[in-house]
């Protein structure tokens, strides 16, 4: 068991973005007709590559709601999301976010593999703002989705 884990981990250490991943990233980053709102990436352990999983072109739901809908509750994933928003003075602008999604209940081996590949993958992408999440609702809250569930207040926090 320990041997297979170390073999799996060493292959993930060398997981690098595939050519398709680089192309998809550019489509999220750029403007124009072929622009994507978001893209989700997964690690193909056998190939030792980070490959596209789904994009906003694959789904009918755009924006953060579409991205979150496509994340699996048990599997880590990376995503790139072009978050458009209004500034305080009313101008539209956007920020490109790199999202590392690692659910708490994901398989431990997958968590390690995605953790090892995170920094090199993130550093290979330019112009991004990193963000990490363990729950889908955290993502919805961060990006102001109307589908986000309000966080329950912890009763222990009421010490004054």
């Amino acid at each position: 068991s320990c041997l297979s884990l170390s073999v799996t981990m060493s292959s993930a250490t060398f997981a690098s973005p595939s050519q398709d991943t680089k192309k998809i990233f550019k489509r999220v980053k750029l403007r124009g007709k072929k622009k994507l709102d978001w893209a989700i990436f997964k690690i193909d352990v056998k190939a030792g590559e980070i490959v596209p999983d789904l994009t906003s072109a694959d789904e009918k739901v755009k924006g953060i709601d579409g991205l979150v809908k496509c994340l699996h509750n048990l599997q880590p994933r990376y995503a790139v999301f072009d978050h458009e928003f209004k500034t305080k003075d009313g101008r539209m602008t956007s920020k490109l976010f790199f999202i590392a999604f690692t659910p708490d209940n994901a398989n431990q081996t997958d968590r390690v593999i995605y953790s090892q590949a995170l920094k090199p993958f993130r550093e290979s992408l330019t112009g991004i703002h990193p963000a990490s999440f363990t729950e889908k609702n955290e993502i919805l809250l961060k990006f102001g989705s109307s589908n986000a569930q309000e966080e329950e207040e912890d009763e222990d926090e009421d010490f004054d």
Side-chain angles (χ1 to χ4, degrees), residues 20-160:
D20 284 345
T21 292
K22 292 173 185 174
K23 287 177 190 170
I24 294 289
F25 173 70
K26 285 180 183 170
R27 286 185 59 194
V28 177
K29 191 174 181 178
L30 299 176
R31 301 281 169 235
K33 277 189 222 172
K34 294 194 175 209
K35 178 175 180 19
L36 297 169
D37 279 356
W38 53 263
I40 299 173
F41 304 98
K42 64 182 179 180
I43 295 177
D44 179 340
V45 177
K46 288 185 177 122
E49 286 189 318
I50 299 164
V51 298
D53 190 11
L54 288 167
T55 70
S56 55
D58 300 323
E59 293 296 315
K60 302 291 179 245
V61 184
K62 303 291 184 214
I64 198 65
D65 294 324
L67 186 154
V68 169
K69 182 182 134 222
C70 293
L71 291 172
H72 192 281
N73 288 325
L74 299 173
Q75 296 171 335
R77 289 290 186 265
Y78 305 123
V80 179
F81 172 57
D82 190 19
H83 178 52
E84 294 186 353
F85 60 96
K86 270 189 183 167
T87 60
K88 288 180 181 165
D89 61 2
R91 293 177 295 121
M92 286 304 291
T93 189
S94 69
K95 274 187 183 178
L96 194 61
F97 283 87
F98 176 86
I99 297 170
F101 178 65
T102 311
D104 287 331
N105 53 354
N107 165 318
Q108 188 61 35
T109 303
D110 289 345
R111 293 170 60 88
V112 169
I113 290 169
Y114 276 79
S115 173
Q116 284 188 326
L118 173 64
K119 189 175 179 193
F121 181 37
R122 191 174 57 211
E123 289 174 354
S124 75
L125 306 175
T126 58
I128 57 164
H129 299 273
S132 297
F133 301 97
T134 58
E135 296 175 13
K136 290 180 174 187
N137 195 56
E138 289 177 316
I139 301 170
L140 295 173
L141 285 168
K142 164 78 176 167
F143 296 107
S145 168
S146 59
N147 291 326
Q149 304 296 311
E150 285 302 316
E151 295 287 309
E152 293 292 319
E153 289 289 322
D154 249 357
E155 292 168 21
D156 296 342
E157 292 179 10
D158 292 334
F159 292 116
D160 284 335

